[in-house]
């Protein structure tokens, strides 16, 4: 009978700590591997090297991008450089090499750097925000749904902050939620399938370096290959002979010809964005250009000086990653020993608060009741009956 | 079962465990169960990291307004210094660009150095000012730089005592 079991609690046991064996809910001898935060990250991301590198779950066409760059550059160094070194100058492979290194490093950094992901709100924060939304200052109308935007004034301009239902936060200015990665990203520019990651506050400078150096590399290879073929076809040999002598150059020519225009165009576009301190997202939506019918709107984030805008975007301080990828998740053992398992019919608000925290699925840190486990364990183990 | 008829005795068991929580680490863990007050970001100066200095009503009886404002203003100063676009940040940015950003992997950026200073400042403030008043200030970096939160640590002990008192009453121990 349950009453018998309850009566077995010896008050003496409370006063003097008895060396009883550890009870069931404390699996101390079962070694549970501590998990790192990246393993429980809620967004759609992929992690490598134990959380050191982050990318989108869909790698997009990153393998294609890498493949094309490596192939074209490889063919260039193998087939065109020897001829050009012999006939022109040995600076050509040197310049090509530097550009190639810049392209690859900036591509990898763009793809594997956290773009500025905002961590989701903790249950307490989300509850606090809900409370503020449900009780707006002023009249409480039960017919309208609670407002999910907040207005702030930035540089004498009204900016609307939207509430993100997935992350349960009011998005800071210039932040947008990427549906592919399922994360809110600060200063969200766009999700680039070519690099397989979002481009945001933290990796925009890497992305810009990538496209600028790629434009230079593509144009350089295109120019060198054209020179190579021209030199070969001199002396009455003709272009066909030159292509036959160096077929790899034909492939490089085709790849470079078709990509140089789009890459140059993209570089030009992003240079304009950097100079005006805009993001692709804002430019497309026309947030500050008055396309949406607003007059007297200007970009409140611009410093109204091209040099200052460029410097702030490209040479500004590097913000830290806000998602702690390599930190450890608090131990799950505490969930079993939490007081929430005691389902009191007259449970007060403070217990419900703890209950909500546990049922939301987040692992609890060690609760204070752990110090009372010796006397209280017997109650807990029978509490669900 | 004498201990239940004297719940105060039982509560004394809890109070005896107070010393277990005077360590800030333990307070941190237990504070997640307590009620919290959140100080939101102030976006009036664009996207730089700055927190609102408006004194929340919930902390009215717990801490002096001047201490609170000084803490938040100092934090804002630190973040302003970290995000300042000036000579040192340009130098760091240009050097990084010239080395294809590889130096970010090798050395600590200025921002990271200032974040360490902020974390030490918060720990010092907790030890000197907030813990004696039963509050715990959490570092905004742990909350995605969205909020500065003040956790009320005293409520935890009261709620645990109340819980056990109710247990005894309900199960008639």
């Amino acid at each position: 009978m349950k009453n018998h079991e309850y009566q077995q609690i010896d008050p003496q046991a409370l006063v003097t700590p008895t060396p009883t064996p550890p009870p069931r809910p404390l699996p101390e001898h079962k070694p549970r591997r501590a998990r790192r935060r990246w393993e429980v990250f809620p967004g759609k991301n992929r992690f490598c090297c134990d959380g050191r590198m982050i990318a989108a779950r869909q790698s997009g066409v990153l393998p294609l991008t890498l493949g094309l760059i490596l192939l074209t550059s490889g063919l260039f160094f193998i087939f065109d450089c020897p001829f050009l070194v012999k006939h022109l100058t040995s600076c050509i492979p040197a310049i090509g090499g530097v550009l190639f290194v810049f392209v690859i490093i900036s591509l990898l950094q763009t793809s594997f750097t956290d773009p500025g992901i905002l961590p989701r709100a903790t249950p307490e924060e989300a509850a606090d925000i809900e409370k503020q939304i449900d009780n707006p200052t002023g009249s409480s109308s039960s017919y309208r749904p609670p407002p999910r935007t907040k207005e702030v004034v930035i540089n004498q301009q009204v900016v609307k902050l939207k509430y993100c239902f997935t992350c349960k936060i009011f998005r800071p200015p210039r932040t947008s939620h990427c549906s592919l990665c399922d994360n809110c990203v600060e200063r969200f520019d766009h999700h680039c399938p070519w690099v397989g990651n979002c481009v945001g506050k933290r990796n925009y400078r890497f992305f810009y370096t990538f496209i600028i150096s790629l434009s230079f590399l593509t144009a350089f290879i295109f120019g060198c290959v054209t020179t190579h073929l021209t030199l070969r076809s001199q002396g009455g040999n003709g272009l066909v002979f030159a292509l036959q002598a160096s077929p790899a150059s034909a492939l490089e020519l085709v790849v470079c010809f078709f990509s140089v225009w789009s890459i140059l165009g993209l570089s030009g576009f992003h240079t304009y964005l950097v100079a005006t301190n805009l993001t692709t997202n804002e430019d497309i939506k026309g947030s500050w250009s008055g396309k949406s019918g607003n007059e007297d709107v200007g970009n409140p984030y611009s410093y109204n000086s091209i040099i200052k805008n460029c410097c702030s975007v490209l040479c500004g301080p590097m913000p830290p990653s806000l998602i702690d990828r390599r930190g450890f998740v608090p131990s799950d053992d505490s969930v079993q020993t939490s007081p929430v398992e005691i389902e009191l019919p007259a449970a007060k608000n403070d217990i419900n608060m703890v209950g909500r925290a546990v049922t939301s699925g987040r692992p609890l840190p060690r609760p204070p009741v752990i110090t009372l486990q010796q006397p209280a364990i017997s109650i807990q183990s029978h509490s669900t009956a | 079962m004498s201990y239940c008829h004297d719940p105060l005795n039982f509560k004394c068991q809890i109070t005896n465990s107070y010393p277990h929580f005077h360590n800030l680490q333990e307070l941190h863990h237990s504070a997640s169960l307590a009620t919290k007050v959140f100080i939101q970001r102030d976006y009036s100066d664009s996207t730089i990291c700055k927190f609102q200095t408006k004194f929340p009503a919930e902390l009215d009886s717990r801490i002096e307004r001047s201490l609170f404002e000084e803490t938040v203003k100092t934090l804002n100063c630190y973040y302003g210094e970290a995000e300042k676009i000036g000579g040192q940040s340009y130098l760091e940015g240009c050097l990084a660009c010239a080395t294809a950003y590889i130096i970010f992997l090798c050395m600590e950026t200025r921002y990271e150095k200032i974040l360490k200073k902020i974390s030490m400042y918060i720990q010092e403030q907790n030890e000197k000012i907030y813990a004696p008043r039963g509050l715990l200030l959490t570092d905004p970096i742990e909350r995605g730089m969205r909020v500065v939160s003040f956790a009320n640590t005293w409520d935890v002990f009261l709620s645990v005592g109340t819980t056990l008192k109710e247990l005894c009453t309900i199960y008639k121990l």
Side-chain angles (χ1 to χ4, degrees):
Chain A
M1 262 188 67
K2 287 176 212 165
N3 284 337
H4 275 297
E5 287 163 341
Y6 291 133
Q7 282 168 10
Q8 277 169 13
I9 301 166
D10 186 0
Q12 301 303 320
L14 295 169
V15 179
T16 57
T18 52
T20 50
R24 267 186 293 119
L26 269 179
E28 285 164 48
H29 31 267
K30 203 200 303 180
R32 191 182 293 215
R33 185 183 72 85
R35 288 190 299 170
R36 292 205 188 254
R37 287 190 192 271
W38 65 265
E39 296 178 68
V40 298
F41 187 70
K44 290 185 192 158
N45 287 95
R46 205 187 304 187
F47 296 89
C48 317
C49 295
D50 199 20
R52 288 182 180 88
M53 305 203 295
I54 178 173
R57 191 170 292 175
Q58 307 165 2
S59 59
V61 289
L62 172 65
L64 177 68
T65 312
L66 258 177
L68 272 175
I69 293 170
L70 287 171
L71 178 74
T72 315
S73 309
L75 290 175
F76 172 73
F77 286 121
I78 295 170
F79 293 102
D80 296 275
C81 279
F83 182 89
L84 289 167
V85 163
K86 199 164 67 170
H87 289 84
L88 282 177
T89 166
S90 56
C91 283
I92 288 176
I95 297 170
V98 166
L99 284 173
F100 174 72
V101 162
F102 259 81
V103 165
I104 293 293
I105 290 179
S106 48
L107 170 63
L108 293 176
Q109 285 184 324
T110 313
S111 301
F112 296 115
T113 305
D114 169 18
I117 296 174
L118 283 177
R120 300 204 180 170
T122 55
E124 297 96 7
E125 262 184 82
D128 189 62
I129 293 177
E130 286 282 332
K131 218 167 45 180
Q132 287 173 24
I133 295 173
D134 289 339
N135 297 320
T137 53
S139 65
S140 59
S141 166
S142 54
Y143 304 101
R144 278 177 309 169
R148 294 289 177 161
T149 56
K150 200 160 73 167
E151 287 186 354
V152 294
V153 178
I154 298 175
N155 285 338
Q156 288 95 44
Q157 203 150 326
V158 174
V159 175
K160 272 205 176 117
L161 304 184
K162 285 192 190 156
Y163 182 77
C164 180
F165 286 90
T166 313
C167 304
K168 298 201 174 21
I169 55 170
F170 274 103
R171 287 186 210 130
R174 309 192 97 175
T175 303
S176 194
H177 190 94
C178 175
S179 48
L180 287 163
C181 302
D182 204 23
N183 292 312
C184 271
V185 177
E186 277 192 289
R187 203 185 183 277
F188 180 74
D189 196 83
H190 67 286
H191 182 100
C192 186
W194 295 94
V195 303
N197 200 5
C198 285
V199 177
K201 185 164 151 186
R202 293 188 78 244
N203 65 351
Y204 187 76
R205 64 192 73 197
F206 305 143
F207 176 75
Y208 187 73
T209 309
F210 168 62
I211 55 174
I212 293 288
S213 51
L214 187 62
S215 330
F216 278 117
L217 181 68
T218 321
F220 181 74
I221 291 179
F222 187 72
C224 288
V225 168
T226 314
T227 313
H228 175 199
L229 291 173
T230 312
L231 287 173
R232 267 200 199 266
S233 58
Q234 273 173 355
N237 293 327
L239 184 62
V240 176
F241 171 78
L243 285 171
Q244 279 173 347
S246 176
S249 305
L251 178 64
E252 290 165 53
L253 209 60
V254 165
V255 169
C256 289
F257 180 76
F258 286 112
S259 49
V260 75
W261 310 113
S262 44
I263 295 169
L264 274 175
L266 195 64
S267 303
F269 174 62
H270 277 278
T271 307
Y272 157 73
L273 290 181
V274 163
T276 50
N277 205 330
L278 274 175
T279 63
T280 308
N281 200 32
E282 286 165 355
D283 190 68
I284 287 175
K285 285 185 184 167
S287 315
W288 314 118
S289 62
K291 277 188 211 167
S292 47
N294 299 336
E295 284 157 15
D296 290 330
V297 291
N299 183 5
Y301 312 108
S302 171
Y303 293 97
N304 296 318
S305 150
I306 291 177
I307 295 175
K308 196 147 189 214
N309 281 338
C310 292
C311 289
S312 76
V313 175
L314 301 173
C315 297
M318 183 68 179
S321 175
L322 298 175
I323 51 168
D324 178 22
R325 300 190 293 272
R326 290 181 43 80
F328 288 99
V329 175
S331 162
D332 283 344
D333 295 345
S334 58
V335 178
Q336 297 166 1
T337 55
S338 79
V340 183
E341 292 180 339
I342 306 165
E343 286 169 0
L344 292 174
K348 278 201 172 171
N349 282 342
D350 35 19
I351 304 169
N352 282 339
M353 190 173 63
V354 173
R356 212 171 50 228
V358 170
T359 51
S360 69
R362 290 182 183 271
L364 267 189
R366 281 163 50 100
V369 88
I370 250 177
T371 56
L372 303 163
Q373 270 171 352
Q374 259 182 313
I377 278 300
S378 327
I379 303 169
Q380 285 184 349
S381 62
H382 300 125
S383 63
T384 51
Chain B
M1 301 297 151
S2 59
Y3 69 94
C4 189
H5 294 299
D6 182 14
L8 201 60
N9 191 27
F10 208 62
K11 233 190 200 166
C12 286
Q13 293 285 329
I14 305 157
T15 43
N16 284 344
S17 60
Y18 260 69
H20 290 272
F21 299 100
H22 280 184
N23 177 307
L24 268 179
Q25 197 76 21
E26 297 269 3
L27 260 177
H28 232 289
H29 288 313
S30 59
S32 58
L33 296 176
T35 47
K36 287 186 182 168
V37 177
F38 294 103
I39 311 299
Q40 301 286 342
R41 283 270 293 268
D42 177 9
Y43 293 115
S44 56
D45 269 342
S46 187
T47 49
I48 63 164
C49 187
K50 199 172 148 190
F51 293 95
Q52 293 177 359
T53 48
K54 191 174 84 122
F55 188 66
E58 295 93 332
L59 293 178
D60 207 8
S61 51
R62 304 299 297 271
I63 186 143
E64 293 83 11
R65 187 183 287 248
S66 56
L67 286 171
F68 166 84
E69 281 178 3
E70 198 208 309
T71 307
V72 180
K73 279 185 182 155
T74 313
L75 283 176
N76 286 342
C77 277
Y78 272 121
Y79 286 119
E81 193 193 318
E83 296 189 5
K84 195 174 70 163
I85 305 166
Q88 202 176 348
S89 78
Y90 287 157
L91 193 65
E92 197 181 59
C94 291
L95 186 66
C97 186
T99 58
Y101 301 107
I102 294 176
I103 58 160
F104 284 148
L105 302 169
C106 309
M107 66 173 224
E108 205 178 44
T109 63
R110 200 166 137 258
Y111 208 120
E112 282 165 354
K113 286 181 191 151
I114 294 182
L115 283 178
K116 282 195 176 151
K117 273 197 227 170
I118 289 173
S119 146
M120 283 178 48
Y121 171 75
I122 287 178
Q123 193 168 4
E124 182 210 323
Q125 290 281 292
N126 271 330
E127 281 168 10
K128 286 191 191 156
I129 297 175
Y130 294 99
R133 289 168 173 78
L135 292 172
L136 187 78
L137 178 62
T138 48
D139 197 336
I141 193 85
E142 293 171 22
R143 301 279 175 264
M145 304 282 247
R146 281 191 302 264
V147 285
V148 174
S149 72
F150 287 89
N152 186 352
T153 52
W154 283 350
D155 274 351
V156 177
F157 305 115
L158 292 172
S159 73
V160 168
T162 322
T163 310
L164 287 159
K165 195 170 154 188
E166 282 171 341
L167 265 178
C168 296
T169 325
I170 286 161
Y171 293 111
K172 297 188 173 45
L173 298 168

